[in-house]
Amino acid sequence: MKINIKNVSKSFGLFPALDNVSVEVPSGELVALLGPSGSGKTTLLRVIAGLENPESGNVFFGDNDVTEKPVKNRNAGFVFQQYALFNHMSVASNIAFGLRVRKISKKEITNRVNMLISLMQLDGMADRLPCELSGGQRQRVALARALAPEPAVLLLDEPFGALDARVRQDLRRWLRRLHDEIHVTTVFVTHDQEEAFEVADRVVILNEGKVEQWGRPDDIFDNPANSFVMDFIGNVNVLNGHFDGAVSRFGEVAFLEEEKKCYPGPAKAYIRSQDITLADRPEGLQYMNGTITYVRRVGLVVRTTFKPDNSKDTLDVEMSHDYWCSTGFELGSRVTASIKRAQIFYEEDIAS
């Protein structure tokens, strides 16, 4: 079931939660709504579900305009961050609840519940109460309950937000495998960039109620639409500089911009921490000399801070622990930082 959101706006008082938002969710895909707090992610999900009414615009499920339809008539399954299970009911009864409301036959309910218990890897837990389950197990029960009535679309509001990091990682991989089995059109809200990019077929990046960019994860990461997206996705360094009409200059570093058609003015270079190499000699044309002012190992990764000579800016640099050990560098070492890739945004790009 394809979901099509067309020109949807929604305000709360004077606050514009959604501002003329248009997004298409292809049938059978898993799409993440990603953005900072207050960007409109949950409001958009609630508009899709029918829990909020837009002030303008339309929501389509397939070719059917559901904008004015109540929640119960949209055939959408909804999973909340805090599970919202019935604590006095067993796992099986929680999953069966929506089916009983629809007066499905007992035999069909039993078959459907047993199938979902197996699919959710909850075997042997049918008679347990929610209080007897782990957080990850309770979230799988909530997901099974949402899937039991065979919804046309599945909506997840930060489904793993209340779980610890290891359980989140396991569950999001499990969710991706589950989606590949059932292929129900799914939209989920997250503020976790790694979660969105690992799980989703497509990512919608929202900011201040507007869609900044949406598309395949690789396309967004490699080709950010603007400075906000570049800065929001991943660990990014920003160098302030100037465009003179042909060359963008950032201290010792200069980038030739033959195809850029804009007036001279301020420019910013956005450089991911993984796109900088520290070595004892330059690698490529774009490099700076300076000093390592911070070193911290985080598992298999070493995070450092590089202070260029004659600059107030610093650069965060990440590398593998093996590479760090091979260099022989330490805190205070004089090194060369070579820039493998940078995204340059100019005054009008930054303003937009």
Side-chain angles (χ1 to χ4, degrees):
M1 177 73 73
K2 179 175 70 174
I3 303 172
N4 202 353
I5 297 101
K6 293 185 177 181
N7 309 116
V8 164
S9 294
K10 174 69 178 179
S11 297
F12 296 102
L14 298 177
F15 175 71
L18 297 173
D19 185 0
N20 198 36
V21 169
S22 294
V23 171
E24 184 175 302
V25 180
S27 180
E29 289 200 358
L30 195 161
V31 172
L33 304 181
L34 175 66
S37 297
S39 61
K41 306 183 298 294
T42 295
T43 301
L44 180 55
L45 193 77
R46 290 174 64 84
V47 166
I48 296 171
L51 297 170
E52 297 286 353
N53 296 318
E55 290 151 10
S56 62
N58 300 85
V59 178
F60 292 85
F61 284 7
D63 296 326
N64 186 19
D65 188 343
V66 299
T67 310
E68 302 296 330
K69 286 190 175 183
V71 178
K72 64 180 181 180
N73 294 336
R74 295 199 182 194
N75 193 20
F78 206 103
V79 178
F80 299 91
Q81 179 178 340
Q82 298 295 340
Y83 323 127
L85 298 177
F86 300 111
N87 292 324
H88 64 288
M89 291 185 182
S90 67
V91 166
S93 294
N94 265 284
I95 297 172
F97 180 79
L99 300 175
R100 292 198 179 102
V101 169
R102 288 166 175 78
K103 302 188 183 303
I104 305 297
S105 71
K106 288 185 178 180
K107 181 178 180 181
E108 189 174 347
I109 289 175
T110 299
N111 291 338
R112 183 76 177 155
V113 168
N114 289 339
M115 183 275 290
L116 285 166
I117 284 175
S118 177
L119 188 64
M120 301 294 159
Q121 300 174 1
L122 295 167
D123 300 278
M125 302 179 189
D127 296 326
R128 293 189 188 180
L129 294 173
C131 63
E132 299 174 304
L133 304 176
S134 68
Q137 290 166 342
R138 276 178 279 174
Q139 193 57 283
R140 278 183 273 157
V141 174
L143 188 55
R145 185 178 62 184
L147 288 171
E150 298 183 318
V153 300
L154 181 64
L155 308 174
L156 312 174
D157 188 9
E158 298 208 44
F160 311 136
L163 305 172
D164 63 54
R166 178 56 188 271
V167 176
R168 284 177 70 112
Q169 187 176 65
D170 289 344
L171 270 183
R172 69 192 188 206
R173 291 176 181 174
W174 169 83
L175 176 62
R176 181 67 248 187
R177 292 194 299 269
L178 175 68
H179 183 266
D180 290 340
E181 288 185 44
I182 61 177
H183 295 292
V184 62
T185 305
T186 302
V187 181
F188 80 102
V189 165
T190 181
H191 63 271
D192 187 320
Q193 300 168 23
E194 184 177 324
E195 185 169 277
F197 277 68
E198 181 176 348
V199 173
D201 296 304
R202 298 175 200 263
V203 178
V204 179
I205 298 180
L206 290 153
N207 180 43
E208 296 183 346
K210 296 181 179 181
V211 175
E212 297 284 353
Q213 187 172 0
W214 68 289
R216 300 285 183 185
D218 285 351
D219 292 338
I220 291 176
F221 193 87
D222 293 336
N223 302 292
N226 52 41
S227 57
F228 171 81
V229 176
M230 183 69 192
D231 197 25
F232 182 69
I233 301 297
N235 187 8
V236 176
N237 299 284
V238 182
L239 294 178
N240 294 292
H242 188 82
F243 177 59
D244 65 11
V247 176
S248 301
R249 302 183 186 279
F250 304 90
E252 298 179 40
V253 179
F255 298 89
L256 181 63
E257 296 288 352
E258 296 178 347
E259 299 181 1
K260 187 66 182 178
K261 306 298 182 184
C262 70
Y263 294 106
K268 291 180 182 287
Y270 290 77
I271 309 163
R272 300 192 190 281
S273 58
Q274 302 91 337
D275 287 334
I276 303 171
T277 301
L278 298 184
D280 53 11
R281 61 178 62 86
E283 297 182 7
L285 298 176
Q286 312 301 337
Y287 64 89
M288 295 177 283
N289 297 308
T291 305
I292 295 174
T293 59
Y294 172 86
V295 179
R296 179 68 63 185
R297 179 180 178 182
V298 183
L300 298 176
V301 174
V302 173
R303 295 175 179 165
T304 68
T305 299
F306 170 81
K307 176 70 170 62
D309 295 336
N310 305 316
S311 174
K312 296 180 180 180
D313 293 315
T314 60
L315 298 174
D316 292 329
V317 184
E318 289 188 9
M319 66 201 78
S320 70
H321 180 250
D322 287 345
Y323 178 81
W324 171 258
C325 291
S326 72
T327 65
F329 296 150
E330 58 187 19
L331 186 66
S333 290
R334 294 282 301 165
V335 299
T336 297
S338 298
I339 300 172
K340 294 181 286 186
R341 185 183 181 197
Q343 291 276 355
I344 313 299
F345 292 98
Y346 301 90
E347 190 168 26
E348 70 270 26
D349 301 321
I350 296 164
S352 63

